[in-house]
Each structure stands twice: as structure tokens, then as C-alpha cells.
Amino acid sequence: MDEYQKERNKQIEEAVIESYKQEEEMMILVFAQWCVNNGLDPAELYMQAYPDQQSNERLQQVQKLIVSKEEAGDIPDDTVLGVLSMFGNDDLAMVVSEAIAARK
């Protein structure tokens, strides 16, 4: 493999990583906005799912982007559960499912 190909592979890898980070941030935003729309604290639900983690810096950053329930569009329960599952956040999806069950 020549230097050009190595550099090209590195650029592709970096682009894939950046894309994943952006998609993950969107997942966090969907989760956090869903929480606000349903009168729940995103940080509290996150801690229930992942009690061994002190805090989630990305969740804290994303919370700056959350709008009021009135400004936000509706986020169906299935959407937030699907997004969490897509990123392998099964523990958080379980906590969200429990919150949905408690609401009904």
C-alpha cells in the first residue's frame, strides 16, 4: 500500500468516526428532548441506566440544545427506543421503557 492509499484510508476512517459522533450526538439529543417533553430529567434517567458512570459530558453538552416542550416537536416513544437500540444503549432503553410504563 503506497503513502497516498494510507493517507486516503486514514481520511475515510476519520470521516466515518466523525459521522458516528454526530449521529450519536443526535441520539443523545433525541433522548434528552424526549425526557423534557415527558417531564423527566435526562441526567437522572441516564444515571439509573449507568450508575457506575459519574456523568455523561456529551449529555451535559447536548442539554444546552434542548428546547421547551412547547417549542419541541413530539417525539414518539417508539422513536426514542429505536434510536437508543440502534446505538446499543439497551440499559438506557430499559429505563426509558420503565418510564413509559409508569406513565401509562
Side-chain angles (χ1 to χ4, degrees):
M1 188 179 296
D2 64 6
E3 283 301 313
Y4 172 78
Q5 190 62 38
K6 286 180 184 177
E7 183 62 30
R8 184 74 182 127
N9 287 350
K10 184 178 176 187
Q11 289 172 346
I12 291 170
E13 183 179 316
E14 288 172 358
V16 167
I17 291 169
E18 186 58 34
S19 176
Y20 181 84
K21 285 180 181 177
Q22 289 174 353
E23 290 172 3
E24 186 178 42
E25 191 165 291
M26 184 57 66
M27 176 267 304
I28 296 168
L29 180 57
V30 167
F31 161 72
Q33 188 65 59
W34 177 87
C35 287
V36 168
N37 290 359
N38 288 280
L40 302 167
D41 179 356
E44 186 177 306
L45 260 64
Y46 186 87
M47 288 302 295
Q48 287 177 24
Y50 304 108
D52 295 337
Q53 292 184 17
Q54 295 299 318
S55 67
N56 184 313
E57 185 177 314
R58 295 187 70 195
L59 178 58
Q60 291 172 356
Q61 292 171 348
V62 165
Q63 285 186 306
K64 298 172 188 169
L65 304 174
I66 298 171
V67 296
S68 70
K69 180 179 181 176
E70 293 73 31
E71 293 177 79
D74 183 47
I75 300 173
D77 298 339
D78 289 345
T79 299
V80 73
L81 289 171
V83 169
L84 291 172
S85 293
M86 195 166 51
F87 281 86
N89 285 316
D90 298 331
D91 293 340
L92 190 53
M94 181 66 73
V95 170
V96 167
S97 293
E98 290 169 2
I100 291 167
R103 183 183 69 212
K104 293 183 177 178

